[in-house]
Amino acid sequence: MDPRLGRMASSSLAFLLLLEGGMFSPSSPPDGLQERVFQYIDLHQNEFVQTLRDWVAVESDSVQPLPHLRRELLRMMAQAADKLRHLGATVASVDLGSQQLPDGQTLPIPPIVLADLGNDPKKPTVCFYGHLDVQPARPEDGWLTDPYELTEVDGKLYGRGATDNKGPVLAWINAVSTFRALEEDLPVNTKLILEGMEEAGSIALEELVQKEKDRFFAGVDYIVISDNLWLSRRKPALTYGTRGNSYFTVEVKCRDQDFHSGTFGGILNEPMADLVALLGSLVDSSGHILIPGIYDHVAPLTEEERNMYKAIDLDLEEYRNSSQVKKFLFDTKEEILMHLWRYPSLSIHGIEGASNEPGAKTAIPGRVVGKFSIRLVPHMDMSVVDKQVKQHLEYIFSKRNSSNQMAVSMVLGLHPWITNVKDNQYLAAKRAIKTVFGTEPDMIRDGSTIPIAKIFQDVIQKSVLMMPLGAVDDGEHSQNEKINRWNYIEGSKLFAAFFIEMAKLP
Ligand code: MN
Ligand code: MN
């Protein structure tokens, strides 16, 4: 090897990055701030893991409406508020009153924590959203370790909430606290909004965001969410879109009671036969939705987009094996990802009143309700979709000449979200990822719906960045949820590097 190469590699790295990336800024500021920050995070990683252990130890389950769990949730929010106050933040815990359950029980809604660090008008203000409530977890569900005692095995930190979403929230706080500990000026103003009801439908969040629009959010320039996962185990990702969802019910009714099939079979239009025909008219065996006009407003595929899909790191074989599916509808990585992210899909979820319990029951259901939903993508319009679905089902039903009654309703509607990957903060995030991980991120979307991104985009009208930290196999909501120590620690560095890159933006 040419000995000059070795020397060049270390002394001219910043210069090379500059060449390679065109407008790329040098990977580290001249004063070595970034190196000191990274070093501090490496040296103090056990403390950061310990804080995560303290947070995971709180059973902040928002899903089960039980008074003792609600108390834990309140304790979690108070603990986070304390932590932020110790960092010098101005913290408000917004009381959201209480929640009345169908059984008459009243439970307090955990406060939303609003924290504010710095208001230097020369710096950009970046607001981080996260949630501290978790899905239920019981040891008897098949956890190999106590879900509320963070346990490290082979570099994996197992515990409920480790990746969804306590780990990423703490990574942001770790990044802030590192600048504080080094007595360095934070490169950005940062705010945090932390809620405790995300897993229970973010009760009261949108209302609060509306109310705080001209107060807490007044000076906010950018919003960052870190509440999803990479597509890979090792390669970082940035998320720039999520699908929406419109959920339908279609009821077919003859009468409220069931019939005996021996006494009525043969002389009736059976509601179930009508419903099966209706549901069977929605989608064909290649996954194509058969509702006329449904694809009319789907954004056309651009060449640039096609290239983005090509660059994504996805091991199809492993994906197939881990999902235990013999064959998907599509054979290439690109087609599979596009049909998960940028095309709509229709799923049939179930039938109410279908006597689905085991046994050879001979009733004819008198009334059945079919349930299906359509995952929406840009630029589909929910009210147009609603009309198209109703028209289509009415047409199919009318062709049957059935004497039953049919009623279709859209019971839930969530808009898709997409952002511009050329937004400033996406560029800054890419640079930070390059610095910490030495690679370009996968540019990904999420096939499911994450309503908060759209809420922030609509209400605050600022750029929303989704920057996940967890690996694809973290098992959110599942038994043995974990975050890798590597993801948690490098993720803390990533947020710190992101602050530095954000400060460099014009
Ligand atoms: Mn989450
Ligand atoms: Mn979750």
Side-chain angles (χ1 to χ4, degrees):
M1 184 181 120
D2 184 340
R4 280 172 307 168
L5 278 180
R7 264 208 316 277
M8 201 180 90
S10 56
S11 62
S12 313
L13 184 65
F15 176 66
L16 282 177
L17 285 172
L18 195 68
L19 284 181
E20 185 195 17
M23 294 298 289
F24 219 91
S25 17
S27 71
S28 55
D31 62 356
L33 171 65
Q34 198 157 263
E35 280 68 21
R36 274 181 289 133
V37 165
F38 288 2
Q39 202 174 44
Y40 182 93
I41 293 174
D42 278 332
L43 283 172
H44 292 79
Q45 53 174 288
N46 287 338
E47 290 163 36
F48 294 144
V49 169
Q50 183 55 44
T51 313
L52 181 57
R53 186 168 290 123
D54 296 341
W55 283 27
V56 164
V58 185
E59 191 175 350
S60 51
D61 168 354
S62 63
V63 177
Q64 302 181 78
L66 301 170
H68 80 276
L69 291 176
R70 213 39 81 87
R71 278 195 294 277
E72 287 293 276
L73 205 40
L74 295 174
R75 188 159 75 87
M76 184 70 249
M77 300 316 286
Q79 202 164 318
D82 264 358
K83 173 93 186 159
L84 289 163
R85 253 180 229 114
H86 275 118
L87 284 177
T90 311
V91 182
S93 292
V94 184
D95 183 17
L96 299 164
S98 56
Q99 176 190 19
Q100 179 108 37
L101 300 174
D103 66 359
Q105 201 189 168
T106 307
L107 288 176
I109 300 175
I112 287 180
V113 172
L114 300 176
D116 208 316
L117 285 120
N119 52 3
D120 183 341
K122 291 190 293 294
K123 296 175 187 168
T125 300
V126 188
C127 179
F128 180 87
Y129 160 89
H131 68 88
L132 300 177
D133 57 320
V134 297
Q135 286 280 324
R138 297 174 314 165
E140 58 269 33
D141 294 338
W143 280 75
L144 298 173
T145 59
D146 179 345
Y148 294 102
E149 190 183 326
L150 192 76
T151 308
E152 182 161 11
V153 182
D154 294 335
K156 299 182 176 89
L157 303 164
Y158 290 95
R160 176 54 92 221
T163 198
D164 182 16
N165 183 227
K166 291 175 178 177
V169 170
L170 272 173
W172 189 273
I173 294 175
N174 296 341
V176 172
S177 73
T178 297
F179 285 90
R180 285 276 187 270
L182 293 171
E183 297 183 348
E184 291 286 352
D185 195 29
L186 257 185
V188 294
N189 303 317
T190 184
K191 296 190 177 208
L192 290 96
I193 170 168
L194 304 176
E195 70 159 320
M197 288 301 277
E198 197 274 344
E199 304 292 4
S202 290
I203 295 177
L205 177 70
E206 185 168 4
E207 213 177 305
L208 178 98
V209 174
Q210 290 277 9
K211 225 197 289 177
E212 292 292 334
K213 181 177 187 278
D214 299 316
R215 295 190 296 199
F216 179 74
F217 292 104
V220 169
D221 302 303
Y222 303 96
I223 289 149
V224 176
I225 300 168
S226 183
D227 192 20
N228 61 324
L229 299 175
W230 298 348
L231 194 63
S232 137
R233 287 194 190 170
R234 296 291 291 186
K235 191 171 169 210
L238 292 175
T239 306
Y240 64 96
T242 59
R243 288 198 291 190
N245 198 9
S246 51
Y247 200 108
F248 291 88
T249 60
V250 47
E251 180 197 68
V252 181
K253 181 176 158 179
C254 178
R255 66 172 197 189
D256 279 324
Q257 258 180 303
D258 291 350
F259 299 91
H260 187 307
S261 71
T263 4
F264 285 93
I267 59 167
L268 285 181
N269 272 132
E270 299 192 7
M272 186 67 94
D274 284 343
L275 183 63
V276 167
L278 289 165
L279 295 177
S281 76
L282 294 170
V283 63
D284 72 14
S285 60
S286 67
H288 190 80
I289 305 173
L290 299 170
I291 298 162
I294 200 88
Y295 291 98
D296 285 357
H297 297 108
V298 174
L301 180 66
T302 64
E303 200 46 46
E304 199 183 357
E305 211 187 333
R306 201 188 291 277
N307 290 332
M308 233 151 55
Y309 279 90
K310 253 186 232 157
I312 290 172
D313 181 24
L314 177 75
D315 183 341
L316 254 192
E317 206 44 47
E318 194 193 314
Y319 185 57
R320 232 187 320 256
N321 290 337
S322 67
S323 355
Q324 295 174 295
V325 173
K326 212 175 358 176
K327 191 174 175 349
F328 289 118
L329 287 172
F330 304 94
D331 296 321
T332 66
K333 168 187 81 180
E334 288 86 347
E335 283 175 302
I336 286 184
L337 293 177
M338 283 183 195
H339 282 88
L340 284 174
W341 297 346
R342 63 141 12 259
Y343 292 121
S345 62
L346 189 149
S347 302
I348 298 170
H349 303 297
I351 296 175
E352 287 174 22
S355 64
N356 62 332
E357 40 306 302
K361 196 174 168 188
T362 53
I364 301 168
R367 173 185 170 270
V368 282
V369 181
K371 299 185 277 194
F372 64 95
S373 73
I374 301 173
R375 291 281 170 184
L376 306 173
V377 297
H379 307 288
M380 294 169 85
D381 181 322
M382 218 142 54
S383 61
V384 173
V385 169
D386 186 21
K387 249 182 245 147
Q388 288 167 336
V389 166
K390 283 176 181 160
Q391 250 166 30
H392 170 72
L393 288 177
E394 270 152 25
Y395 171 71
I396 299 291
F397 190 64
S398 72
K399 277 203 311 188
R400 288 183 63 81
N401 273 321
S402 170
S403 52
N404 293 322
Q405 288 151 357
M406 181 192 73
V408 185
S409 29
M410 191 176 97
V411 291
L412 183 90
L414 296 163
H415 294 282
W417 167 74
I418 186 130
T419 193
N420 185 355
V421 293
K422 294 188 181 107
D423 272 353
N424 267 338
Q425 65 164 347
Y426 274 81
L427 301 181
K430 279 187 184 180
R431 287 178 193 138
I433 285 173
K434 184 102 185 189
T435 303
V436 175
F437 296 97
T439 176
E440 295 289 332
D442 282 334
M443 296 305 292
I444 65 173
R445 299 203 204 177
D446 203 302
S448 36
T449 309
I450 307 177
I452 36 159
K454 182 73 180 157
I455 293 175
F456 283 122
Q457 191 184 50
D458 287 351
V459 180
I460 314 296
Q461 305 201 330
K462 297 288 170 174
S463 161
V464 177
L465 167 74
M466 283 178 55
M467 182 156 44
L469 300 186
V472 67
D473 59 350
D474 276 1
E476 304 175 289
H477 293 208
S478 171
Q479 294 89 341
N480 306 312
E481 175 183 348
K482 58 92 178 159
I483 191 166
N484 301 325
R485 176 186 277 260
W486 182 73
N487 289 64
Y488 178 54
I489 297 304
E490 298 307 297
S492 303
K493 289 182 197 168
L494 175 60
F495 286 150
F498 176 67
F499 296 163
I500 292 171
E501 291 296 341
M502 288 299 280
K504 290 187 206 160
L505 289 176

